[in-house]
Amino acid sequence: MKNLELAKVLNQIADLLEIKEENPFRIRAYRKAAQNLEDISSEDLEKLVREDRLTEIPGIGHDLALKTKEFLSTGKIKLHQDLLKKTPAGFLELIAVPGVGPKTAKLLSEKLKIKDINQLERYAAAHKIAGLPGLKEKTEENIVKGIEFLKRTRERTPLAVAYYTANHVVAQLKKISGVNKISPAGSLRRMKETVRDIDILVTSVHPKKVMDGFVNLSLVQEVLAHGVTKASIRSSEGIQIDLRVVEPSSFGAALAYFTGSKEHNIKLRKMAVKKGLKINEYGVFRVKSGRKIAGKTESGIYEIFGLPFIPPEMREDLGEIEAGLKGKLPGLIEMGNIKGDLHVHSDYSDGADSVEDIARACQKMGYQYVAICDHSQSLSIARGLSPKELSKKIDRIKKLNKKLKKIRVLVGTEVDILGDGSLDYKDEILKQLDFVIAAIHTGFKQTEKQLTDRTVKAMKNRYVHAIAHPTGRLMEVRDAYKIDLEKIFKVARDTNTALEINAFPARLDLNDRACQRAKENGVRLVISTDSHTISQLNNMFFGVSVAKRGWLEKKDILNTLPLEKFFKAIKHR
Ligand SMILES: [Zn+2]
Ligand SMILES: [Zn+2]
């Protein structure tokens, strides 16, 4: 968790240096380091310090390693504190608005004395921003949109951040003696793509010890409540975490109750009433006698209703109870079903690691294959490959495959779908590759028809096997672009083009509901991580969660197939 906290501080340093118009290289170095820390958010920084391996993190040189140590031992960085002292009030709040960079924020705070977002919103509504030197009407429009976006996304935390925070808290609490059962509940346990707060349930013979330990964890910023069986804190990341101690005989009931969803639980309650039962967070009871008939385990509760255990990811009252009653719940895909990752960037383009290191890491994960899909030529910002570089890469990977025995590297590309729907490489090049994914990275502001047509045209190319991140959304940055998904599904099915569930935590694209619609339309999917570092390969887990929420089974996902079968199943040429 420290990784994300430190990344935030480094990003702020970059912002603060930017208003001082400091050396752009220095600014970029801080941003790059922050980005890399976010990428390795699951790794233990303190452990890296102990092993003297900090400088192995890309972008962390000698100076930043010192600052990292300073942050870990004092919780602060002096440079950051000094810069903050010299910064006008509210400045950081202003640059949090998408569309407001450090320069604009400086202008707004100096010329209009704007100190917070509410003030900014009022000025924008009164059209007092356009007309400032260098600020156009368009900037004002973007600021209005940015404020709306920020207000909407601020209330919720992205799944991956909440997930790692909860894991950290659970691991810390397990160290306290007397903690028996422990589990996150709530929308986090349902693996919703964003969560409002984190709920954790424990059973313990020493509730007081657990509560005291919880409110004293190092990530606690503020204690909101501290009772005998319930405590709430706000973490340094700004997430509220509620901890409840429950009786072992009620653990299952509490888990079901606090996992929700509300809609799912309402339906169970209605079924209980019909059977003369009462269900709550303590158990299932006969109304007449008050006798408790279930509560220790969740499966025990579902059993009372004649239901199999319903996976938390499905508990949204979207037909799962009806399907369960008929014995028709799908057998959801599991992490262990995945046989390979199909979208990984290497150091040939903007990835951090060599193909060989990636291949060995994938082998360790138990995969049989990995497709290295670097960017294509027009995406120069991501160091896309020229045709010449690509053919060199093909040769090298062929040689590498002879050396690697247990895993097969597929030569691929993430080819850009250009503005008119044509592809960034000619067919003669694409046909030499094992796996081709096509993606839109530019022109998000086109009309729905244009964006849909571009994607359709790409799918009709006989060499394109899959469409990456089909809606382009990037959580906390931008919404999905306008695209006619129903049409995309039909063409995907007709051309046997797979659609990707991009497992990168800010993308999760397609999302759960789109996955379900895709399946209903007979579309096959792939789950890929879009990794740019080896540690990001672990994000596969979040992609599998999206698939589970979309009711997908092993047979719906192409990269659950062993290599030979996979090659037979993908688009034929
Ligand atoms: Zn991409
Ligand atoms: Zn990519």
Side-chain angles (χ1 to χ4, degrees), residues 336-341 366-370 554 559-563:
N337 298 141
I338 300 291
K339 295 279 194 306
D341 198 329
Y367 294 165
Q368 296 180 6
Y369 49 90
V370 53
K554 187 180 162 192
N559 50 324
T560 60
L561 293 168
L563 188 61

Side-chain angles (χ1 to χ4, degrees), residues 343 345 350 373 375 414 437 441 468-469 502 507 530-532:
H343 183 169
H345 296 268
D350 60 345
C373 292
H375 290 290
E414 177 176 15
I437 51 180
H441 294 109
H469 44 74
N502 189 298
R507 290 196 184 271
D530 202 352
S531 289
H532 289 69

Side-chain angles (χ1 to χ4, degrees), residues 211-225:
M211 288 299 153
D212 293 348
F214 175 61
V215 299
N216 283 305
L217 290 178
S218 66
L219 59 57
V220 174
Q221 178 105 20
E222 191 187 349
V223 178
L224 305 168

